[in-house]
Amino acid sequence: MDSKNALGEYLRARRERVRPEDVGLSGGGLRRVPGLRREEVALLAGISSDYYLRLEQGRDRNPSVQVLEALARVLRLDASATTHLLSLAQPERPAVSRRRARRTEAVPASVRELLDTWPGHPSYVQNRFTDCLASNALCRALSPNYRPGVNLLRAVFLDPAERELRRDWEELTAEGVATLRGHIGPDVDDPRLVELVGELSVRSDRFRLLWSRHEVRPMLGRTSLLRHPLVGDFELRSNKFEIPGTDGLNVVVFHAEPASRSAELLGLLGSLAASGDTPREQSPRTREEAARLDEEG
């Protein structure tokens, strides 16, 4: 991750993911690298090959919006990826100035209170690096990793129990990395990000692959497919809401479809959490109750 040439890295990574036939070119001939050649991108974007080379090499970091939009069309970028491309080409500001301008990362007391007023909805607060900063009891019953101090992205990639919980682990990890890139934007030299990316790149082959793709996605809600050790298989929907006046903190709230089997199992999990049962232990009674709901569902 080279903060001094974030634009060039992004262009190169996205170029390598576009097939010639995707843009109406012949895919024949010997190609030493995947995707489009630099001169093909330049031709399709209506710029010179030398100028495009300077962009990828970081020798020209202030292209016009028109050039960037033309490159976005050639590289088949969606709206979120195009916005990310434009942000990487903004005139650079010193990293120290960016960090001084940030607002607080403390979770407002009113938000902490709000989480506890949702006993039937697992809820937590995370920062832009996916560090969990606050959570309610039902969320911690969903996974012990939803507790303050845990980095959720690290947990998803490195904790075997978390991977076992996630039936949609492949999709979740791809979304998580792309969302992180989108949320960080051009601030790739932040020490917290450098530390996290460095650790996961060393310890996880999948993270290293996903990070190299430079995919970007907006921070949206999703449907999570879970296999909980206490109550079995169910699914939860989630929505994310940014907390005004903070440095990109978000509240994430889970819910099950009303009157569904998932809602019953979430209610069962809530009862177990209220009684003090831990999520890694499953009594015979719990297994029987989950089995009954499974048969009825």
Side-chain angles (χ1 to χ4, degrees):
M1 183 170 55
D2 182 3
S3 63
K4 296 181 180 180
N5 190 23
L7 174 62
E9 283 195 354
Y10 188 65
L11 289 173
R12 182 169 56 254
R14 301 309 301 176
R15 170 173 63 83
E16 292 175 351
R17 301 205 64 206
V18 180
R19 299 174 302 173
E21 53 267 32
D22 292 336
V23 291
L25 296 177
S26 171
L30 178 62
R31 289 180 178 266
R32 292 178 297 177
V33 295
L36 297 177
R37 299 185 178 103
R38 291 190 183 95
E39 57 269 24
E40 292 171 335
V41 174
L43 175 65
L44 292 168
I47 60 178
S48 72
S49 297
D50 180 66
Y51 181 51
Y52 180 76
L53 178 62
R54 294 203 307 272
L55 289 177
E56 276 205 6
Q57 292 180 342
R59 292 186 286 126
D60 188 323
R61 299 178 185 175
N62 295 295
S64 68
V65 172
Q66 291 78 8
V67 167
L68 292 172
E69 289 178 342
L71 290 172
R73 288 192 295 272
V74 173
L75 299 176
R76 303 170 64 83
L77 303 184
D78 61 17
S80 297
T82 299
T83 299
H84 182 69
L85 174 64
L86 293 171
S87 74
L88 294 179
Q90 291 177 349
E92 294 186 27
R93 294 174 295 166
V96 173
S97 298
R98 288 200 302 271
R99 284 191 279 276
R100 284 178 179 171
R102 288 180 187 162
R103 294 163 288 181
T104 179
E105 198 176 67
V107 180
S110 60
V111 174
R112 292 181 181 273
E113 293 170 0
L114 183 63
L115 298 184
D116 291 332
T117 66
W118 292 331
H121 298 279
S123 309
Y124 68 96
V125 176
Q126 68 175 12
N127 63 12
R128 62 199 191 114
F129 304 110
T130 72
D131 295 316
C132 182
L133 304 179
S135 61
N136 62 14
L138 185 54
C139 200
R140 295 188 294 274
L142 193 63
S143 168
N145 286 314
Y146 286 121
R147 67 180 187 277
V150 173
N151 181 270
L152 299 172
L153 194 65
R154 179 189 289 116
V156 166
F157 278 99
L158 302 182
D159 184 352
E162 192 70 24
R163 179 167 184 172
E164 186 67 23
L165 174 68
R166 309 287 180 171
R167 289 186 286 142
D168 56 353
W169 186 82
E170 297 282 336
E171 179 182 355
L172 175 66
T173 51
E175 288 182 6
V177 173
T179 300
L180 176 64
R181 270 205 181 274
H183 205 34
I184 294 300
D187 199 12
V188 294
D189 59 349
D190 189 289
R192 179 72 186 90
L193 179 69
V194 172
E195 177 189 15
L196 178 63
V197 171
E199 178 189 2
L200 291 178
S201 295
V202 170
R203 301 181 62 185
S204 170
D205 292 340
R206 176 157 177 79
F207 176 85
R208 188 165 58 251
L209 171 64
L210 292 172
W211 187 255
S212 71
R213 292 179 177 175
H214 285 253
E215 291 186 346
V216 175
R217 297 187 191 181
M219 186 175 293
L220 301 174
R222 68 188 308 273
T223 298
S224 297
L225 306 180
L226 305 170
R227 175 163 292 136
H228 198 275
L230 283 179
V231 299
D233 291 359
F234 65 112
E235 60 184 54
L236 294 178
R237 300 171 181 175
S238 64
N239 289 282
K240 300 181 180 181
F241 308 95
E242 187 168 352
I243 304 175
T246 66
D247 184 25
L249 302 190
N250 285 269
V251 177
V252 182
V253 185
F254 293 97
H255 73 280
E257 182 182 352
S260 66
R261 171 178 171 272
S262 291
E264 292 186 77
L265 291 174
L266 182 60
L268 175 59
L269 181 61
S271 298
L272 295 171
S275 67
D277 286 353
T278 64
R280 299 303 185 200
E281 297 174 356
Q282 185 174 19
S283 67
R285 178 182 176 183
T286 302
R287 288 194 297 269
E288 291 173 4
E289 180 68 7
R292 180 185 65 79
L293 291 174
D294 186 55
E295 291 175 358
E296 293 178 353

